């Protein structure tokens, strides 16, 4: 089954061709960072306009790289939400047009389910049930993936997403946008034990996350006398260590409530070197099968949307004439469509 997949939920204009939810024949993504950098964050109106300008070319590029024509396709998959409404609408409108004009079935995918299916690309299929730690610029959550169509959020951030915390703290340190990768690089030269920034612990048996207290504590520290004299690499490494501790503590707590056949780390923050190393070390020590997709499938991409659409195809089939983008698309699939 050859699916054309389209992803425009935020600021990456992405298209891919995926066979049987696993083989990525092509995956192209145009990053818009250069357009948003001077504003220090994503400007929704600019993101939508860039999608309008770039999407058709991205789709044709994806088909060309796969060596295919429109007539070879078996369906069109698209991110229908959650995300920025103006950005989503561009991808959904295009996908509807392709599906309608080519008489192909249309599959409406939840962006977060795409991240869950990223480890299914280019490899043997991991076995359910899986525990997924999904950490990106917009989301931070722990997901119990019981099957392709049955997933539950076990814990989520109460304030900032992990990537957002990285980006905001990077800004406090004077690093360029997007700050996560820059902070990661700086932290590699610093001492993670230089400063003991607070680690959020939820009350009771909650698996929720929180990063706003940590970010504020770094801000107050940087404004203090000690902070003004601190080495930025030590502050970066100490902040990063606190984020990694919080994420790994919740992952371990959730895993203990299993059973699970494996753990998955996905989303843009999965590219973080300290988090990757903590995740791998923990999994090896506890003999847990661990899945860490390559960076190109961790950050936003269309191939993961093609994977999710394939595995959920009966549940997410949509009508090309009536599908609407939904910026608040619920995480759970409606029971009757599973
Ligand atoms: O998944 P993604 O590409 O987009 C969203 O769905 O949000 O994630 C982007 C986020 C940004 O906040 C970025 O700073 C963060 O992932 N990120 C990192 C690293 N690489 C990307 N954060 C920490 N360390 C990194 N190496
Ligand atoms: Zn994402």
């Amino acid at each position: 089954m050859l699916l054309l997949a389209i992803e425009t939920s935020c600021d990456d204009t992405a298209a891919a061709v995926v066979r049987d939810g696993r083989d990525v024949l092509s995956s192209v993504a145009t990053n818009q960072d250069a357009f948003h950098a001077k504003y220090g964050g994503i400007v929704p109106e600019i993101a939508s306009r860039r999608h309008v300008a770039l999407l058709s070319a991205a789709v044709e590029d994806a088909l060309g790289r796969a060596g295919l024509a429109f007539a070879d396709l078996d369906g069109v998959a698209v991110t229908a939400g959650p995300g920025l409404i103006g950005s989503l609408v561009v991808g959904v409108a295009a996908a509807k047009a392709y599906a309608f004009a080519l008489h192909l079935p249309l599959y409406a995918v939840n962006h977060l389910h795409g991240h869950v299916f990223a480890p299914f690309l280019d490899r043997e299929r991991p076995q359910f049930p899986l525990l997924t730690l999904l950490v990106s610029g917009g989301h931070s959550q722990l997901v119990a993936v019981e099957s392709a169509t049955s997933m539950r959020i076990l814990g989520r951030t109460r304030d900032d997403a992990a990537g957002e915390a990285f980006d905001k703290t990077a800004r406090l340190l004077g690093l360029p946008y997007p700050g996560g990768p820059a902070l990661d690089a700086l932290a590699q030269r610093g001492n993670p034990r230089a400063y003991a920034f607070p680690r959020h612990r939820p009350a009771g048996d909650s698996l929720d996350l929180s990063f706003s207290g940590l970010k504020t504590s770094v801000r107050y520290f940087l404004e203090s006398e000690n902070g003004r004299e601190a080495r930025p690499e030590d502050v970066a490494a100490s902040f990063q260590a606190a984020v990694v501790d919080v994420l790994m503590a919740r992952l371990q707590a959730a895993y203990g409530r299993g059973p699970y056949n494996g753990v998955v780390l996905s989303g843009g923050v999965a590219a973080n070197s300290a988090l990757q190393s903590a995740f791998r070390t923990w999994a090896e020590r506890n003999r847990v099968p661990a899945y860490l997709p390559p960076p190109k499938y961790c950050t936003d991409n269309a191939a993961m949307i093609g994977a999710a659409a394939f595995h959920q195809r009966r549940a997410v089939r949509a009508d090309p004439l009536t599908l609407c983008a939904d910026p608040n698309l619920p995480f759970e699939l409606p029971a009757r469509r599973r």
Side-chain angles (χ1 to χ4, degrees):
M1 185 180 190
L2 280 172
L3 290 181
L4 167 68
I6 293 174
E7 150 67 39
T8 64
S9 65
C10 192
D11 66 331
D12 294 293
T13 312
V17 178
V18 183
R19 184 195 288 130
D20 295 340
R22 195 186 77 167
D23 305 325
V24 183
L25 305 192
S26 64
S27 179
V28 301
T30 312
N31 169 297
Q32 303 180 359
D33 286 350
F35 294 91
H36 301 283
K38 67 176 165 190
Y39 304 102
I42 294 162
V43 183
E45 178 64 18
I46 294 177
S48 331
R49 286 170 184 247
R50 295 304 303 159
H51 288 313
V52 170
L54 297 168
L55 185 55
S56 306
V59 167
E60 276 164 36
D61 193 15
L63 277 174
R65 285 171 193 241
L68 297 172
F70 281 114
D72 299 317
L73 296 171
D74 298 308
V76 181
V78 66
T79 303
L84 300 171
I85 183 63
S87 290
L88 289 165
V89 159
V90 178
V92 167
K96 285 164 68 167
Y98 289 123
F100 184 72
L102 300 165
H103 305 288
L104 291 173
L106 178 67
Y107 302 98
V109 174
N110 183 305
H111 176 80
L112 301 173
H113 295 184
H115 281 299
V116 166
F117 281 95
F120 288 62
L121 293 166
D122 283 347
R123 60 178 303 148
E124 290 312 312
R125 190 175 157 166
Q127 295 300 309
F128 299 121
L130 294 167
L131 175 64
T132 297
L133 175 60
L134 199 175
V135 273
S136 72
H139 299 274
S140 288
Q141 48 202 219
L142 273 159
V143 184
V145 187
E146 280 125 26
S147 73
T149 52
S150 172
M151 310 179 195
R152 265 178 316 120
I153 295 181
L154 302 173
R156 51 158 59 94
T157 180
R158 294 181 177 178
D159 36 63
D160 292 345
E164 206 178 344
F166 267 100
D167 294 340
K168 288 178 177 170
T169 305
R171 203 169 171 179
L172 294 175
L173 288 166
L175 299 171
Y177 171 86
L183 194 151
D184 186 352
L186 184 65
Q188 285 178 27
R189 303 196 305 272
N191 175 7
R193 280 182 284 276
Y195 305 104
F197 292 125
R199 272 82 168 148
H200 171 259
R201 274 166 192 262
D205 59 0
S206 164
L207 291 169
D208 282 350
L209 300 151
S210 165
F211 296 105
S212 72
L214 168 60
K215 178 197 65 196
T216 307
S217 141
V218 174
R219 180 158 69 84
Y220 286 150
F221 174 71
L222 286 171
E223 285 165 5
S224 73
E225 205 165 315
N226 282 349
R228 282 195 291 271
E229 285 163 13
R231 293 169 69 229
E233 42 273 61
D234 289 341
V235 179
S238 302
F239 160 81
Q240 184 171 273
V243 175
V244 171
D245 279 357
V246 166
L247 292 173
M248 290 307 300
R250 287 301 91 69
L251 182 74
Q252 286 174 52
Y255 188 78
R257 297 185 208 171
Y260 293 102
N261 284 330
V263 288
V264 175
L265 181 60
S266 188
V269 182
N272 183 264
S273 57
L275 180 59
Q276 286 194 358
S277 115
F279 177 78
R280 288 210 173 95
T281 306
W282 174 79
E284 269 165 35
R285 200 170 286 154
N286 294 282
R287 297 172 194 277
V288 180
Y291 303 95
L292 183 51
K296 63 182 175 185
Y297 300 143
C298 278
T299 52
D300 285 352
N301 66 89
M304 68 184 192
I305 302 303
F310 174 80
H311 292 289
Q312 300 182 330
R313 56 196 179 280
R314 281 176 209 88
V316 300
R317 181 127 177 208
D319 181 349
L321 291 179
T322 57
L323 175 66
C324 287
D326 181 351
N328 304 310
L329 189 67
F331 185 82
E332 318 243 333
L333 288 171
R336 65 187 165 75
R337 292 171 65 204
R338 277 186 197 158

